[in-house]
């Protein structure tokens, strides 16, 4: 039974069988390193922290604390802005060291006392707000 298929189909099957290993090897050489690099980059990005380092936050906290404690503001707007920045930085630092922050749920009237409680919680966690 020499000719139960058309010649063109036989030729196509022969080319497919002969060329498949070469095409697969070429694709593996070209695409596999790119896929591994993309996977490693995605994994590295996922493991990276999603915010500033604790050292930077603590440095900002100390700077803002000196400015809040100094109390020499030119305007009321400047005082409120510095206190708001200090409160935000306190909350960020509490989030980084995983400390409960009473400041997060404080009203406007309770904010100064909650700020003191939050500072005390950070001091107990080992962050010196007024280093020697």
């Amino acid at each position: 039974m020499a000719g139960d298929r058309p010649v063109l189909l036989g030729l196509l099957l022969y080319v497919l069988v002969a060329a498949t290993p070469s095409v697969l090897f070429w694709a593996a050489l070209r695409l596999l390193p790119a896929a591994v690099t993309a996977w490693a980059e995605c994994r590295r990005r996922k493991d990276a922290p999603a915010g500033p380092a604790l050292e930077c936050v603590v440095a900002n906290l100390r700077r803002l604390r000196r400015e809040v404690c100094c109390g020499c503001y030119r305007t009321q707007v400047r005082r409120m802005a510095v206190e708001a920045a200090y409160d935000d930085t306190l909350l960020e630092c509490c989030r980084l060291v995983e400390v409960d922050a009473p400041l997060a749920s404080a009203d406007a009237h309770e904010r100064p006392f909650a700020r003191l409680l939050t500072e005390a919680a950070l001091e107990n966690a080992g962050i010196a707000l007024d280093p020697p």
Side-chain angles (χ1 to χ4, degrees):
M1 298 234 62
D4 59 343
R5 277 184 236 167
V7 175
L8 191 58
L9 183 63
L11 188 61
L12 184 64
L13 283 174
Y14 175 75
V15 169
L16 183 69
V17 169
T20 299
S22 299
V23 169
L24 287 178
F25 188 72
W26 174 83
L29 283 179
R30 292 292 179 175
L31 301 177
L32 192 62
V36 169
T37 303
W39 177 77
E41 181 69 25
C42 181
R43 187 171 173 99
R44 185 185 62 82
R45 238 182 282 138
K46 197 182 298 181
D47 292 342
L54 179 62
E55 293 84 8
C56 295
V57 174
V58 170
N60 285 337
L61 188 63
R62 289 175 180 161
R63 178 184 56 81
L64 288 167
R65 180 178 170 82
R66 283 191 302 270
E67 206 168 325
V68 166
C69 291
C70 172
C72 50
Y73 307 109
R74 291 186 208 157
T75 63
Q76 183 76 6
V77 173
R78 174 72 179 168
R79 181 187 67 79
M80 290 177 64
V82 170
E83 285 181 0
Y86 181 65
D87 290 347
D88 290 344
T89 309
L90 267 174
L91 292 174
E92 186 176 5
C93 192
C94 286
R95 183 186 56 82
L96 286 174
V97 294
E98 298 173 354
V99 171
D100 185 35
L103 186 62
S105 61
D107 293 340
H109 305 302
E110 302 169 347
R111 244 171 145 64
F113 184 65
R115 189 177 298 125
L116 287 174
L117 290 176
T118 305
E119 289 170 350
L122 281 176
E123 290 274 345
N124 288 339
I127 297 193
L129 297 178
D130 292 322

